[in-house]
Amino acid sequence: HLYTPFMSPGSLTEKLSFFIASYTPADRISEGGGHVDEGEDIEVVEMQLDDALAAMFDGRIIDAKTIMLLQHLKLKLAGLLP
């Protein structure tokens, strides 16, 4: 668990929990990785960090949750986070 921020304080009470973890292809239980019976429609996209950061800066990645996690990972790898 990394953190649980308000996504839009002042206008929403929604909080999201952010996690980061390792996984292997063996962890997937279906083509997308999730439980079909639970309605999980997951598309797994694997990118190198530099490619993901470039996609963030050129507008291909626009989801705030993904951007926050990419920035966290970059700071962690740079030794700026514990």
Side-chain angles (χ1 to χ4, degrees):
H1 181 259
L2 297 175
Y3 33 76
T4 303
F6 285 104
M7 293 310 297
S8 185
S11 62
L12 298 173
T13 59
E14 175 187 29
K15 291 171 96 176
L16 291 180
S17 293
F18 288 72
F19 295 86
I20 192 165
S22 299
Y23 76 96
T24 69
D27 294 321
R28 294 184 183 182
I29 58 171
S30 67
E31 184 177 335
H35 289 276
V36 175
D37 293 341
E38 294 181 2
E40 293 181 331
D41 184 14
I42 298 172
E43 177 186 1
V44 177
V45 178
E46 295 179 345
M47 303 173 80
Q48 296 295 316
L49 179 57
D50 287 342
D51 294 335
L53 292 169
M56 181 181 79
F57 285 111
D58 71 18
R60 288 176 287 149
I61 294 177
I62 58 172
D63 174 68
K65 298 176 298 297
T66 303
I67 291 169
M68 289 172 71
L69 288 168
L70 287 171
Q71 291 175 337
H72 177 91
L73 181 58
K74 183 66 175 178
L75 291 169
K76 179 85 169 168
L77 293 174
L80 299 173
L81 292 175

